[in-house]
């Protein structure tokens, strides 16, 4: 069954009752999932690495949680909600033996994921998703500091222009207008600087690099935060766990000593996650594969014009994940 037509479209094409089509589709999906699980069980396969993430299921703040077998690509479980009580159902639905081989779990920093994995899979290593971490740093630190600096330029421009009156002599007026123009340019440059700050430095053109460095020279706090971003990227290249722990410890200490409010806040919030951040040195995994699968989920929602029956939709998600996977490769590490 390829999910390329909605049930309504099939009904209009064939004249078969909507509920009949839905039942047939459900039977096909259930059988495919059952056959897949049977095959894996017969081969003695058990998932070793999991990825956990959330996705929106309806307009507004309505979410579901997805658990993927990172190596095979199978969606093992889908459940409504993203709170701790919602994710607890995953461990209730899965047998302890089926998860006995799990050695690592990739996730974002949702507290319920962290606490429940620690509770139910105490031997598994939690690995916090590097892209969520970097994205949050870009938004909550670089973004905040950049806009603060830009607003200071704007405020300074207004302050300078306010000093100009009818009594101001020509030379002073010319000087003040030049100063105001410089502040306006500073504001404009910072507003346009977003992507140059976020992108990896080695991907910037020479002209962009020169422009960035020129602006950073005049903005101390932003320069510090940019340097911290570059160091964070370097830490994700470390392959020794203890070296990673040492590196992250120094990173958090430097961030807190910077006295830059946004950077300090970020460090205080994330420092308690240090083991899961350093674990990337052992398992270079992320939730990216699962987030990529979310695109399939979006397409399925669009084709079906949304689904009122969450159970049917969640079964469809599991079915779509196994429709093109190969038999397990039994990789070991």
């Amino acid at each position: 069954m390829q999910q390329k037509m909605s049930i309504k479209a099939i009904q209009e094409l064939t004249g078969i009752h909507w509920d009949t089509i839905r039942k047939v589709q459900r039977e096909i999906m259930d059988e495919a999932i059952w056959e897949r699980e049977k095959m894996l069980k017969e081969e003695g396969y058990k998932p070793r690495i999991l990825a956990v993430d959330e996705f929106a299921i309806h307009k507004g703040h309505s979410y579901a949680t997805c658990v993927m077998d990172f190596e095979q690509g199978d969606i093992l479980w889908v459940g409504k909600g993203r709170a701790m009580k919602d994710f607890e159902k995953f461990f209730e639905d899965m047998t302890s033996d089926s998860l006995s081989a799990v050695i690592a779990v990739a996730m974002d920093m949702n507290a319920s994921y962290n606490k429940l994995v620690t509770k139910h899979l105490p031997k598994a290593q939690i690995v916090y998703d590097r892209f969520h971490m970097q994205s949050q740093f870009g938004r909550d630190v670089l973004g905040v500091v950049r806009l603060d600096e830009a607003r200071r330029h704007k405020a300074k421009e207004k302050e300078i222009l306010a000093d100009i009156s009818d009594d101001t002599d020509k030379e002073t007026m010319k000087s003040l207008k030049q100063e105001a123009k410089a502040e306006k340019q500073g504001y404009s440059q910072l507003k346009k600087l977003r992507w140059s700050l976020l992108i990896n430095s080695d991907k910037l053109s020479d002209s962009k690099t020169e422009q960035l460095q020129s602006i950073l020279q005049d903005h101390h706090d932003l320069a510090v935060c940019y340097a911290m971003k570059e160091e964070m990227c370097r830490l994700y290249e470390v392959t020794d766990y203890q070296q990673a722990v040492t590196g992250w410890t120094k990173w958090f200490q430097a961030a807190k000593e910077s006295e830059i409010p946004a950077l300090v806040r970020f460090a205080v919030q994330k420092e308690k996650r240090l083991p899961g951040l350093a674990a990337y040195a052992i398992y270079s995994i992320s939730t990216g594969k699962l987030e990529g699968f979310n695109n399939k989920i979006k397409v399925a929602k669009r084709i079906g014009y949304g689904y009122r029956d969450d159970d049917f939709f969640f079964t469809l998600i599991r079915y779509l994940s196994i429709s093109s996977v190969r038999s397990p490769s039994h990789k070991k590490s």
Side-chain angles (χ1 to χ4, degrees), residues 299-318:
V299 171
K301 275 199 304 182
R302 188 164 61 247
I303 290 173
Y305 300 100
Y307 289 87
R308 290 170 291 181
D309 184 343
D310 289 335
D311 186 55
F312 180 90
F313 183 41
F314 294 164
T315 300
L316 172 61
I317 290 171
R318 292 196 61 199

Side-chain angles (χ1 to χ4, degrees), residues 8-22:
K8 183 179 179 181
I10 296 173
Q11 179 189 20
E12 292 174 349
L13 184 66
T14 64
I16 301 173
H17 193 276
W18 183 94
D19 194 50
T20 301
I21 298 170
R22 181 180 172 281

Side-chain angles (χ1 to χ4, degrees), residues 42-196:
E42 288 175 349
E43 295 187 2
Y45 176 81
K46 294 180 182 179
R48 302 182 318 122
I49 300 176
L50 306 179
V52 186
D53 200 14
E54 62 192 39
F55 64 92
I57 52 176
H58 301 295
K59 287 184 178 180
H61 299 285
S62 182
Y63 295 88
T65 299
C66 226
V67 181
M68 172 183 275
D69 176 343
F70 183 84
E71 293 179 303
Q72 294 299 320
D74 296 50
I75 298 298
L76 303 179
W77 181 87
V78 190
K80 192 171 183 179
R82 55 180 178 177
M84 185 174 295
K85 62 181 177 59
D86 302 314
F87 187 41
E88 181 77 61
K89 294 175 184 176
F90 165 67
F91 298 99
E92 294 172 357
D93 292 344
M94 302 290 289
T95 64
S96 57
D97 181 66
S98 66
L99 300 176
S100 60
V102 175
I103 57 175
V105 184
M107 64 180 72
D108 64 19
M109 294 187 183
N110 182 315
S112 66
Y113 299 165
N114 170 44
K115 292 178 180 177
L116 290 177
V117 168
T118 299
K119 173 185 174 182
H120 293 283
L121 301 173
K123 295 182 180 179
Q125 177 66 64
I126 290 172
V127 183
Y128 289 120
D129 183 74
R130 69 173 292 181
F131 302 107
H132 277 88
M133 180 73 170
Q134 291 173 319
S135 176
Q136 288 179 14
F137 186 85
R139 181 186 67 241
D140 298 341
V141 180
L142 284 172
V144 169
V145 174
R146 177 180 64 88
L147 291 177
D148 281 347
E149 298 275 13
R151 280 191 284 268
R152 275 193 280 272
H153 280 293
K154 195 71 171 177
K156 186 65 176 177
E157 179 196 3
K158 290 182 178 179
E159 182 184 322
I160 293 170
L161 292 176
D163 288 338
I164 300 175
S165 67
D166 294 338
D167 297 330
T168 305
D169 63 82
K170 289 185 178 179
E171 285 300 318
T172 302
M173 183 180 293
K174 181 179 179 181
S175 176
L176 289 174
K177 285 186 176 181
Q178 286 178 338
E179 288 181 35
K181 182 179 179 181
E183 295 296 339
K184 185 177 181 179
Q185 288 177 337
Y187 171 83
S188 179
Q189 287 175 336
L190 286 170
K191 290 290 286 184
K192 296 176 181 177
L193 199 63
R194 182 186 176 194
W195 291 113
S196 293

